[in-house]
Amino acid sequence: MNDLSRLAIHTMTTKPWDLQTTAEKYAAAGVPAVTIWRQWLEGQKLTEIRRLMDDHGLRVSAHCRGGFFPAIDAADRQAAIDDNLRCIEEAAEIGAPMVVLVCGAVPGQSLFDSRQQIADGLAACIDQAAAANIKLAIEPLHPMYANDRSAINTLAQANDLCDQLASPWVGIAADVYHLWWDDQLEHEIVRAGDRIVGFHVCDWLTPTNDLLLDRGLMGAGCIDIPKIRSWIEQSGFDGWIEVEIFSKTHWERDQDQYLEEIKDAYLNHV
Ligand code: ZN
């Protein structure tokens, strides 16, 4: 029987709410954890964000997001590394156990170069992650984003990257939206084992009207989420199950009603 004890929701899911409203609404709805996107930190003191979460009994499931390591110019690659080092510090200050990484890709640059730059960028962040006790969670993105958001597109590639970096501070965030189509998914989840530190859920709508902003509520699409969850839990994962839905349609709706539907979809379709 599912209950809400492992439910986390991304601030991006209920995008119209600021952090204060998010904390109040999630706490009142019995949602125990929140993944805080970086935009919600702007103009706020990190210590106050932590206090806001504590005051509402909320845990921070993850800090989202770092990454975007590849760049044509070396100076831009270094700037990306510096930004990720800041992101790790932010995560520690707001009480998040991990930084989720959208690894990056640059139109006009080969994926092979981008992948090497991602490996180099990650390697440059490991010491800081270890010092801050923060995991770096590689999130493979659906191949439709390969040219501009992430050159890491399968769980196999994320596993290869983890093999290459060989650090306990580098793990994987598995998002059903990006991985559901992969016929090697079960095998790669077994291979990943305890590298999987984050699990994101939503659903794939058909037709998908926007490549980025048309994700569905769990149960509204074609992804067999309970099966993927069972594989991930068989491999040892027992962490937060994070609802991450980018949806222009849902953002335009009444967010209180939407939050109730998220809980309902989580209880019945995850
Ligand atoms: Zn995700």
Side-chain angles (χ1 to χ4, degrees):
M1 174 69 188
N2 220 356
D3 60 35
L4 299 181
S5 61
R6 288 173 61 197
L7 170 62
I9 302 179
H10 285 227
T11 53
M12 191 60 92
T13 299
T14 50
K15 189 180 174 194
W17 284 343
D18 63 19
L19 204 55
Q20 176 77 35
T21 307
T22 300
E24 291 170 4
K25 299 286 191 182
Y26 287 12
V31 177
V34 54
T35 287
I36 301 178
W37 279 55
R38 256 183 132 181
Q39 296 91 310
W40 274 259
L41 267 50
E42 281 166 19
Q44 307 233 38
K45 286 204 176 104
L46 299 182
T47 50
E48 285 175 9
I49 290 176
R50 186 152 192 169
R51 187 173 314 125
L52 177 68
M53 296 298 127
D54 287 346
D55 287 350
H56 289 83
L58 285 164
R59 301 278 301 280
V60 180
S61 31
H63 189 28
C64 203
R65 61 199 181 183
F68 296 99
F69 293 108
I72 306 282
D73 296 329
D76 292 336
R77 293 197 290 278
Q78 185 58 49
I81 289 168
D82 293 342
D83 190 53
N84 277 276
L85 298 178
R86 274 194 299 280
C87 193
I88 291 166
E89 286 304 306
E90 290 168 6
E93 290 198 44
I94 64 173
M98 76 184 91
V99 170
V100 178
L101 300 171
V102 170
C103 289
V106 182
Q109 172 169 279
S110 107
L111 289 181
F112 305 102
D113 290 343
S114 288
R115 287 173 189 143
Q116 184 58 53
Q117 292 171 5
I118 289 165
D120 293 344
L122 270 163
C125 293
I126 288 173
D127 285 350
Q128 176 113 346
N133 197 28
I134 297 293
K135 295 265 192 183
L136 302 170
I138 299 164
E139 179 167 14
L141 257 54
H142 190 283
M144 68 181 170
Y145 304 117
N147 194 39
D148 59 355
R149 288 183 181 272
S150 181
I152 306 300
N153 307 105
T154 62
L155 191 51
Q157 286 176 302
N159 272 322
D160 290 347
L161 199 46
C162 287
D163 284 346
Q164 187 181 341
L165 293 163
S167 165
W169 298 100
V170 179
I172 295 169
D175 186 325
V176 299
Y177 194 74
H178 300 301
L179 303 177
W180 66 276
W181 54 273
D182 184 350
D183 69 348
Q184 296 303 303
L185 188 55
E186 182 178 14
H187 170 76
E188 291 295 333
I189 287 171
V190 171
R191 181 182 161 205
D194 63 6
R195 284 172 177 164
I196 295 178
V197 294
F199 181 43
H200 301 175
V201 297
C202 66
D203 217 333
W204 183 282
L205 301 177
T206 304
T208 292
N209 295 316
D210 184 300
L211 292 187
L212 194 60
L213 304 178
D214 193 27
R215 299 189 183 195
L217 272 167
M218 299 78 73
C222 59
I223 304 178
D224 191 342
I225 302 171
K227 179 167 284 294
I228 298 174
R229 175 182 175 175
S230 75
W231 292 338
I232 284 186
E233 293 186 340
Q234 279 160 27
S235 79
F237 180 79
D238 62 358
W240 299 109
I241 298 172
E242 304 171 38
V243 176
E244 182 190 34
I245 303 172
F246 314 146
S247 168
K248 280 191 278 201
T249 305
H250 288 303
W251 290 335
E252 286 169 2
R253 300 178 49 219
D254 174 65
Q255 297 297 289
D256 291 291
Q257 171 65 26
Y258 178 39
L259 182 57
E260 289 306 308
E261 290 175 22
I262 290 169
K263 286 163 56 181
D264 194 53
Y266 176 82
L267 291 172
N268 291 296
H269 301 287
V270 171

